[in-house]
């Protein structure tokens, strides 16, 4: 039975109880949770499966992480886990949370909370609650404010804020007023967009209004936490809907201001309302080309590949709009923004390089590139070549079928050329025909900058001509040394 079927229409108290019993049956309780419940019951405490664990169980989403809440204080929780858990950690104990692992399942157990917030940072003044209702009202969204009691004579479904109905309706709402919830923790606004992406939910009108009015509060949140939510959002099932929500509410101005800025730049092909819409389409098309799950680097590159256009927009004498060198400007902007969001260096480098390279293909035409140009394309892309293929193909959003087909044929031709050269030349590992040791031995020079210059010269020749014999490479090196006065 689905969650939707369980909450359809008005129901009597008897039917509601039957529905709640059915919900409890839907929430499959594994042996780890059963064992925990028995230990807490024996000690006279109450234990509830709560929040995302209940939500995901109702959605039939697998998870190896389980969240619990309890009336037991942290010291009592630690005592109950001793001798049972394979590992225990108390890094969150100041906030009432104890973590543990048992047979590959991670559990977090948090004492009922009834926190207050200072509304300057997002840090709560931790206060323990007395009831499950105290705990659930402080949670971010109603779909995370559901619980199943595991202790006592029988399991009991607890849903004081209508989370099940909201989940069935696909609605995102807050237990308290959204203004209270977002003032307590502004990161919840970005988390709302993340749930839109991951679960395809629609925010309630009052949630939308509060997000729009309070978007600036997100500035209170550390960039690291913002980045974590943004990455989950980008890798969700419906990232376009989430990005549109962020732009419409003003959240994007706080996180990725370059994205709403693209609404100001008209696409030069006049096929889209603006570059912003084009970029969203490119992201969706790139997602369709993924072969091994969500690819954060590819999705970010697709979303950001044209962010340099507003700064390079020019109106030409014939009335058309141009964006010359927007890939160069865009790569620099991408690097700056991702650094500001504290992304790892590898992500910053890879996304920026894809943005920088995304226009390179358009010089290929119908195959005019020399083998040297193809080699440079592959070498510059390096391990990003497969992603670059996907990005470039996704960047074709024209509604002109003939033009779209011509572009795809042209890229097919380039990939065929790459495959042919790769067969002949070990294209993925292009190196000069002489290494540094051979250069030093032949020219009789010590290690130093001169060896690097000689190496670059031979690499350029390798790119231009393809593989050379040892004799040809040595002759070229001697010629270079003579021209540059190298003894």
């Amino acid at each position: 039975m689905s969650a939707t079927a369980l909450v359809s229409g008005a129901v009597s108290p008897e039917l509601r109880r039957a529905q709640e019993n059915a919900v409890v049956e839907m929430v499959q309780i594994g042996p780890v949770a059963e064992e925990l419940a028995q230990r807490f019951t024996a000690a006279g405490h109450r234990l509830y499966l709560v929040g995302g664990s209940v939500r995901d169980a109702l959605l039939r989403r697998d998870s190896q992480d389980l969240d619990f809440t309890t009336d037991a204080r942290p010291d009592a929780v630690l005592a109950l886990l001793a001798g049972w858990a394979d590992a225990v950690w108390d890094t969150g104990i100041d906030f009432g949370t104890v973590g543990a692992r048992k047979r590959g399942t991670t559990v977090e157990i948090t004492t009922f909370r009834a926190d207050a917030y200072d509304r300057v940072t997002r840090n709560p003044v931790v206060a323990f609650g007395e009831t499950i209702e105290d705990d659930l009202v402080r949670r971010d969204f109603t779909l995370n404010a559901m619980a199943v009691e595991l202790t006592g004579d029988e399991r009991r479904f607890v849903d004081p804020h209508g989370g099940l109905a909201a989940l069935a309706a696909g609605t995102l709402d807050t237990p308290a007023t959204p203004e209270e919830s977002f003032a307590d923790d502004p990161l919840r606004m970005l988390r709302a967009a993340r749930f839109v992406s991951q679960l395809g939910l629609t925010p309630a009108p009052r949630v939308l209004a509060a997000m729009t009015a309070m978007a600036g509060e997100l500035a209170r949140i550390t960039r690291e936490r913002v980045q974590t939510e943004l990455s989950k959002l980008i890798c969700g099932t419906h990232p376009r809907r989430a990005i549109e929500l962020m732009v419409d509410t003003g959240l994007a101005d706080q996180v990725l201001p370059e994205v709403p800025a693209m609404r100001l730049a008209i696409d030069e092909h006049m096929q889209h309302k603006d570059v912003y819409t084009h970029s969203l389409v490119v992201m969706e098309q790139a997602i369709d080309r993924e072969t091994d799950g969500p690819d954060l680097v590819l999705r970010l590159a697709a979303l950001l590949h044209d962010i340099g256009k507003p700064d390079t927009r020019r109106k030409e004498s014939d009335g058309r709009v141009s964006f010359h060198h927007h890939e160069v400007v865009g790569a620099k902007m991408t690097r700056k923004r991702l650094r500001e969001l504290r992304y790892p260096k590898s992500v910053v480098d890879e996304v920026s390089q894809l943005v920088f390279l995304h226009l390179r293909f358009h010089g290929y035409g119908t195959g005019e590139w020399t083998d040297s140009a193809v080699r440079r394309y592959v070498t510059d892309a390096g391990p990003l070549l497969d992603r670059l293929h996907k990005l470039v193909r996704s960047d074709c959003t024209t509604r002109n079928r003939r033009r779209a087909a011509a572009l795809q044929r042209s890229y097919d031709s380039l990939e065929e050329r790459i495959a042919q050269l790769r067969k002949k030349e070990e294209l993925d590992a292009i190196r000069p025909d002489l290494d540094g040791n051979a250069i030093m031995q032949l020219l009789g020079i010590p290690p130093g900058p001169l060896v690097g210059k000689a190496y670059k010269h031979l690499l350029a020749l390798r790119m231009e001509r393809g593989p050379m014999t040892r004799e040809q490479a040595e002759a070229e090196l001697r010629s270079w040394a003579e021209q540059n006065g190298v003894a």
Side-chain angles (χ1 to χ4, degrees):
M1 182 180 294
S2 68
T4 303
L6 286 171
V7 295
S8 56
V11 296
S12 65
E14 293 78 12
L15 182 55
R16 171 62 65 186
R17 182 57 181 163
Q19 289 178 339
E20 291 177 353
N21 289 338
V23 169
V24 170
E25 292 302 318
M26 288 176 64
V27 179
Q28 300 296 318
I29 307 299
V32 168
E34 292 280 13
E35 291 173 21
L36 265 180
Q38 291 170 8
R39 295 179 75 86
F40 276 72
T41 299
H45 291 295
R46 308 177 88 170
L47 184 72
Y48 297 81
L49 188 68
V50 71
S53 295
V54 176
R55 178 200 70 223
D56 288 346
L58 293 173
L59 292 172
R60 294 291 189 257
R61 298 174 76 196
D62 293 331
S63 175
Q64 290 299 306
D65 300 336
L66 298 177
D67 292 324
F68 299 91
T69 189
T70 180
D71 61 344
R73 295 300 193 251
D75 287 346
V77 173
L78 285 170
L80 286 167
L81 292 175
W84 172 82
D86 298 328
V88 177
W89 52 92
D90 61 2
T91 51
I93 201 166
D94 289 343
F95 298 97
T97 299
V98 176
R101 186 177 297 109
K102 180 72 172 180
R103 296 194 299 274
T105 296
T106 299
V107 302
E108 284 196 346
I109 306 169
T110 303
T111 303
F112 293 157
R113 296 261 294 272
D115 302 332
Y117 288 78
D118 60 18
R119 306 216 168 161
V120 176
T121 67
R122 66 183 295 268
N123 298 321
V125 178
V126 177
F128 295 131
E130 298 300 325
T131 67
I132 183 64
E133 288 76 17
D134 290 340
D135 183 88
L136 295 179
V137 74
R138 75 175 184 83
R139 293 180 178 262
D140 53 2
F141 300 105
T142 59
L143 55 81
N144 290 331
M146 299 180 286
V148 175
E149 184 172 9
L150 305 183
T151 46
D153 295 334
E154 61 180 20
R155 292 174 186 162
R156 181 171 65 96
F157 179 57
V158 186
D159 182 21
H161 305 288
L164 181 62
L167 186 62
T171 301
L172 191 66
D173 206 347
T174 52
T177 68
E179 288 81 7
E180 290 177 276
S181 183
F182 300 156
D184 283 346
D185 184 359
L187 189 65
R188 289 172 173 173
M189 294 184 284
L190 193 55
R191 195 174 294 133
R194 191 241 293 180
F195 283 127
V196 167
S197 176
Q198 291 180 328
L199 303 177
L201 303 176
T202 300
R206 68 175 192 159
V207 171
L208 278 176
M211 290 172 69
T212 304
M214 302 176 67
E217 293 294 308
L218 198 60
R220 289 163 41 192
I221 306 302
T222 65
R223 296 292 89 182
E224 289 83 358
R225 289 184 178 275
V226 168
Q227 179 245 102
T228 298
E229 288 296 329
L230 178 64
S231 296
K232 291 178 181 178
L233 179 160
I234 292 290
C235 289
T237 307
H238 311 281
R240 175 172 180 168
R241 289 179 57 181
I243 294 295
E244 289 173 333
L245 174 63
M246 290 175 62
V247 170
D248 292 344
T249 57
L251 284 177
D253 293 326
Q254 303 296 321
V255 181
L256 289 172
E258 297 83 1
V259 172
M262 288 191 288
R263 291 178 296 179
L264 304 177
I266 305 300
D267 189 282
E268 68 268 35
H269 303 302
M270 307 302 175
Q271 295 297 317
H272 299 280
K273 186 172 90 173
D274 50 34
V275 178
Y276 163 68
T277 303
H278 162 77
S279 298
L280 294 176
V281 173
V282 172
M283 181 176 67
E284 289 184 312
Q285 294 185 164
I287 290 169
D288 289 340
R289 289 183 165 86
E290 291 175 339
T291 55
D292 192 25
D295 185 337
L296 175 66
V297 168
L298 177 63
R299 294 185 183 199
L300 282 172
L303 177 64
L304 303 176
H305 76 284
D306 274 348
I307 61 171
K309 282 189 170 179
D311 284 357
T312 58
R313 185 175 186 268
R314 300 291 183 272
K315 190 169 183 179
E316 303 296 343
S317 58
D318 62 1
R320 293 177 66 82
V321 175
S322 69
F323 304 95
H324 295 307
H325 305 300
H326 74 268
E327 76 282 10
V328 178
V329 174
K332 292 179 180 177
M333 293 171 65
T334 297
R335 183 173 294 278
K336 181 179 179 181
R337 177 55 54 196
L338 296 185
R339 280 176 173 170
E340 195 271 338
L341 287 169
R342 307 293 193 269
Y343 272 100
K345 183 178 184 300
S346 60
V347 173
V348 175
D349 291 345
E350 290 173 356
V351 176
S352 302
Q353 183 70 350
L354 286 171
V355 172
F356 177 71
L357 292 174
H358 84 273
L359 271 191
R360 181 80 63 85
F361 158 73
H362 292 283
Y364 184 76
T366 55
E368 289 83 1
W369 276 5
T370 63
D371 285 353
S372 174
V374 175
R375 292 186 194 101
R376 291 186 184 281
Y377 188 78
V378 173
T379 302
D380 288 348
L384 297 172
L385 183 61
D386 183 59
R387 284 175 169 140
L388 184 59
H389 289 332
K390 293 173 182 175
L391 176 60
V392 172
R393 288 186 181 275
S394 300
D395 197 22
C396 174
T397 60
T398 176
R399 295 191 182 100
N400 184 318
R401 292 184 179 181
R402 184 173 298 177
R403 185 172 186 274
L407 283 170
Q408 296 301 334
R409 284 196 303 271
S410 186
Y411 208 83
D412 288 342
S413 169
L414 174 57
E415 289 204 60
E416 288 170 8
R417 293 269 303 279
I418 291 171
Q420 291 167 2
L421 284 173
R422 180 175 280 129
K423 269 186 179 179
K424 290 193 302 183
E425 303 182 10
E426 299 182 2
L427 200 58
D428 293 324
I430 288 180
R431 298 288 186 275
D433 296 278
L434 298 175
D435 63 17
N437 289 328
I439 291 170
M440 289 187 290
Q441 183 177 2
L442 188 66
L443 298 183
I445 58 175
L450 203 55
V451 178
K453 291 179 181 179
Y455 186 92
K456 288 180 180 178
H457 172 70
L458 291 176
L459 179 59
L461 287 177
R462 173 69 174 81
M463 289 286 191
E464 188 65 33
R465 300 183 190 177
M468 292 184 286
T469 65
R470 175 84 179 199
E471 293 74 18
Q472 289 172 327
E474 289 180 352
E476 290 292 345
L477 180 60
R478 289 192 181 97
S479 175
W480 174 87
E482 184 177 342
Q483 293 171 15
N484 289 270
V486 179

